[in-house]
């Protein structure tokens, strides 16, 4: 599954249009709104995660651009809050690239940010939300999903 996170700037002319609905209906992509501030007749912003076939995600982006929406890809990073993590190991079976694994014999759950592709699967899979998506330096704060 191709996954990308975008920072979108909506012109006020599009604020009342069902853009996300059309994205899903016409381009067969899944979405996850990580942050949004859209108000009637005002320019708006949204941090949007898109998942699907690569060509579908790109077609969806072209659609957004055709409406005047500026889309900037975010280099989302995932980090672990070690104060929250209680080493349960649930995330190690979720991570598709082995960025979360159990180190033996200590049985310590290790997070290797170098391997992480920021797919976000562990973020929702962690029972205490110790894994966070962050978008520094653009928003200068993290978003827990
Ligand atoms: S699922 Fe969460 S609490 Fe459990 S080891 Fe992974 S990061 Fe830590
Ligand atoms: S975001 Fe994806 S690649 Fe990174 S640690 Fe979590 S599950 Fe693994």
């Amino acid at each position: 599954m191709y996954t990308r996170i975008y920072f979108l700037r909506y012109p006020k002319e599009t604020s009342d249009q069902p853009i996300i609905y059309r994205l899903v209906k016409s381009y067969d992509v899944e979405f996850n709104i990580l942050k949004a501030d859209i108000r009637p007749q005002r320019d708006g912003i949204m941090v949007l995660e898109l998942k699907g076939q690569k060509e579908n995600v790109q077609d969806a982006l072209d659609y957004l651009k055709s409406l005047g929406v500026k889309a900037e890809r975010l280099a989302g990073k995932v980090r672990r809050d070690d104060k929250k993590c209680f080493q349960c190991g649930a995330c190690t079976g979720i991570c598709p690239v082995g960025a979360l694994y159990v180190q033996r014999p200590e049985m310590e759950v290790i997070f290797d940010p170098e391997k992480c592709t920021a797919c976000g699967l562990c973020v929702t899979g962690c029972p205490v939300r110790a894994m966070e998506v962050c978008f520094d330096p653009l928003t200068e704060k993290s978003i827990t999903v």
Side-chain angles (χ1 to χ4, degrees), residues 79-82 84-94 100-102 108-111 122-123 125-131:
R79 67 182 172 203
R80 183 172 70 181
D81 183 339
D82 289 331
K84 287 186 186 172
C85 174
F86 65 106
Q87 299 280 309
C88 72
C91 54
T92 61
I94 295 171
L100 288 155
Y101 60 93
V102 177
E108 183 184 354
V109 177
I110 305 290
F111 171 51
C122 60
V123 176
C126 173
V128 291
R129 301 293 171 104
M131 305 302 292

Side-chain angles (χ1 to χ4, degrees), residues 77-78 91 94-100 111-113 115-123 131 133:
K77 285 186 183 170
V78 168
C91 54
I94 295 171
C95 180
V97 295
L100 288 155
F111 171 51
D112 182 349
K115 287 187 186 167
C116 176
T117 60
C119 72
L121 289 174
C122 60
V123 176
M131 305 302 292
V133 180

Side-chain angles (χ1 to χ4, degrees), residues 26-38:
S26 305
Y27 299 98
D28 191 25
V29 290
E30 294 174 27
F31 72 92
N32 188 15
I33 297 172
L34 303 176
K35 183 173 184 166
D37 182 7
I38 296 176

Side-chain angles (χ1 to χ4, degrees), residues 11 14 17 19 22 27 58-71:
T14 62
Q17 294 185 33
I19 291 174
R22 285 194 199 130
Y27 299 98
Q58 286 174 341
D59 287 347
L61 268 188
D62 288 343
Y63 164 70
L64 288 173
K65 287 176 186 168
S66 75
L67 296 173
V69 177
K70 289 187 179 148

